[in-house]
Amino acid sequence: MNGYATEGWTDMFLCAGGAAAALCGLIFVGLSVNIRTVLAIEKREGHSFMTGRALEALVALLVVLLISLVGLTPAINPGVLAAFVLVNAVASAVSPCRAAYAGRGRSPRATEVILRRSLAAALTLALLTAGTSLAAGHGGGLHWLPAAFVLAVTVAAVNAWVLLVEVLR
């Protein structure tokens, strides 16, 4: 399979896009169940740490969904797809930075901070590598996307867990 053209990647894009869309919906529904608690915690503590985690989860999944949709475009130019992946790499970096900034003044556990930042950095790095290597025509190209997609789902799952379970502890 060629990592520099979308032929042969249709099944992966269909599966990843469908799963990401479904998980986005579940996060919205799950968040709506706890929204009063989340907003009360944020009001009491004076920061938007929890809604930042929701944003981070949704952005990670939307990146997967959008790349998958564009990747399914028939005969898309690899340069166009590479540029789109790079734009989404930047978007994947903005949300965790915003969420970390919103949580200032809070004293989370060191392991929580390390895990969260490591996953976010790994996702952004995998997307940057996919986009740059696709544009360059060597270095792996699309073969980096499955790793990025797995990281995005992991970021979303960890944040969803915090929003749906940890918020009630």
Side-chain angles (χ1 to χ4, degrees), residues 36-108:
R36 289 187 183 171
T37 306
V38 167
L39 294 176
I41 290 169
E42 289 188 349
K43 184 176 183 181
R44 182 181 68 238
E45 294 183 9
H47 56 73
S48 60
F49 180 75
M50 298 301 266
T51 52
R53 290 202 79 139
L55 177 65
E56 188 176 337
L58 291 171
V59 167
L61 292 171
L62 286 172
V63 163
V64 174
L65 176 60
L66 295 173
I67 291 172
S68 295
L69 288 171
V70 172
L72 286 168
T73 304
I76 188 167
N77 180 301
V80 171
L81 182 56
F84 192 76
V85 170
L86 290 170
V87 165
N88 278 276
V90 171
S92 78
V94 170
S95 180
C97 291
R98 183 246 171 245
Y101 177 77
R104 287 181 318 157
R106 192 178 165 271
S107 53

Side-chain angles (χ1 to χ4, degrees), residues 72-151:
L72 286 168
T73 304
I76 188 167
N77 180 301
V80 171
L81 182 56
F84 192 76
V85 170
L86 290 170
V87 165
N88 278 276
V90 171
S92 78
V94 170
S95 180
C97 291
R98 183 246 171 245
Y101 177 77
R104 287 181 318 157
R106 192 178 165 271
S107 53
R109 294 183 306 266
T111 54
E112 175 186 329
V113 172
I114 291 168
L115 174 65
R116 189 169 177 201
R117 290 184 181 162
S118 297
L119 286 172
L123 170 58
T124 300
L125 182 61
L127 289 168
L128 287 171
T129 304
T132 55
S133 63
L134 180 59
H138 60 82
L142 297 175
H143 291 287
W144 285 96
L145 286 182
F149 290 176
V150 166
L151 286 164

